[in-house]
Amino acid sequence: MTASLWGTRTRLVAGAGWAVGGLIVVLAWWGVSGEATVGHQFHWLALGAVGVLVCLAAGAAWLFAGMRAVGRRIRAVVPVPSDVRRPVRELRVVSEAAAVAADALVAAPGMRYFHRSSCTLARGKAVRPAERAEHLREGRAACGVCRPEGPAGVSAA
Amino acid sequence: MQWARSQWDRVGAVVLFVAGALAVLLGWLGVSRSAYSAESLPYIVSGGFFGLLAVAAGGVLWLSADLRDEWRKLDSIEQAWREQQ
């Protein structure tokens, strides 16, 4: 349940402003219609202008309250970058293939063992996935920690 | 019909714009047909002031609709944000 855009106080103030302003204009119209000379009518005309201004002020107050509420909500909901700088300690390039196949067999050039991509020993290394036969062809053995030779999900890692 | 219900504020704004323009037009007609200044001033108040108020109310209603749209969008953003956490 989210809060309302306009609070009760704003609704009351705007409603009262429009009602009072409208009544003043009606009163001015009634006064102008009842006077025979222009000199006397101008007083009522000025009163009518005041009524219009009251209504416009109430409308402006209503809109400003709404805009303020939306602004506050944006600041609360939309995350802003923090002023506190947090240095990045390590940037790691992860190949797309390794990221997609979580249980692929991976190794980096120069490594003696091939691992499951989820293996602790493969983390942080520039590994790339390959078929088991390819790893064996390059002289690599299966890792003893993640045991890529065994069934999926069984490892010592 | 369903659009008009969901966009009642914009429909109201258009109605007020039209009513305001009509009031100004009728006021102008009244003033132009008056022989004396004292006879024309009531038309200025009724046509001019009420027309101006109707147009202003329509503008407020239309801008309020825009603010409500933003509020609803923020509702959905906040909901999506909560679901992700």
Side-chain angles (χ1 to χ4, degrees):
Chain A
M1 187 71 185
T2 55
S4 174
L5 176 52
W6 286 283
T8 313
R9 194 177 150 217
T10 311
R11 286 171 195 272
L12 281 174
V13 168
W18 275 95
V20 169
L23 275 176
I24 291 174
V25 175
V26 170
L27 185 69
W29 174 66
W30 176 79
V32 163
S33 306
E35 297 289 350
T37 59
V38 176
H40 287 104
Q41 281 180 325
F42 269 117
H43 297 109
W44 293 105
L45 198 67
L47 186 70
V50 169
V52 169
L53 286 177
V54 170
C55 285
L56 292 181
W62 172 264
L63 289 177
F64 279 127
M67 284 191 282
R68 274 201 308 271
V70 167
R72 274 197 303 270
R73 186 95 188 275
I74 287 173
R75 284 191 292 277
V77 171
V78 179
V80 291
S82 171
D83 289 337
V84 181
R85 289 186 176 188
R86 292 178 183 169
V88 178
R89 291 180 182 169
E90 185 183 9
L91 279 175
R92 196 178 298 166
V93 178
V94 179
S95 70
E96 233 176 66
V100 171
D103 210 38
L105 303 176
V106 297
M111 284 174 73
R112 292 171 56 200
Y113 298 97
F114 63 91
H115 308 264
R116 293 179 197 272
S117 59
S118 56
C119 180
T120 316
L121 298 178
R123 272 183 211 158
K125 294 172 184 166
V127 294
R128 64 174 189 81
E131 292 293 325
R132 181 187 308 273
E134 192 183 335
H135 288 305
L136 293 173
R137 219 176 15 252
E138 289 185 18
R140 296 190 189 107
C143 169
V145 177
C146 63
R147 293 176 189 166
E149 299 281 13
V154 178
S155 74
Chain B
M1 195 63 193
Q2 201 174 353
W3 180 87
R5 274 187 190 169
S6 64
Q7 300 285 331
W8 62 268
D9 28 21
R10 288 194 171 91
V11 172
V14 171
V15 168
L16 282 169
F17 283 144
V18 172
L22 209 64
V24 171
L25 184 73
L26 289 174
W28 173 73
L29 277 176
V31 169
S32 64
R33 286 176 185 176
S34 302
Y36 311 104
S37 301
E39 196 184 349
S40 66
L41 275 179
Y43 288 111
I44 291 175
V45 176
S46 60
F49 284 6
F50 281 116
L52 183 69
L53 282 186
V55 170
V60 168
L61 216 54
W62 189 277
L63 292 173
S64 301
D66 289 346
L67 288 172
R68 280 197 190 91
D69 284 350
E70 283 190 55
W71 196 256
R72 277 193 286 268
K73 203 175 284 180
L74 287 167
D75 271 345
S76 59
I77 290 173
E78 193 173 9
Q79 195 179 344
W81 182 256
R82 277 182 187 162
E83 281 169 6
Q84 276 192 358
Q85 283 181 335

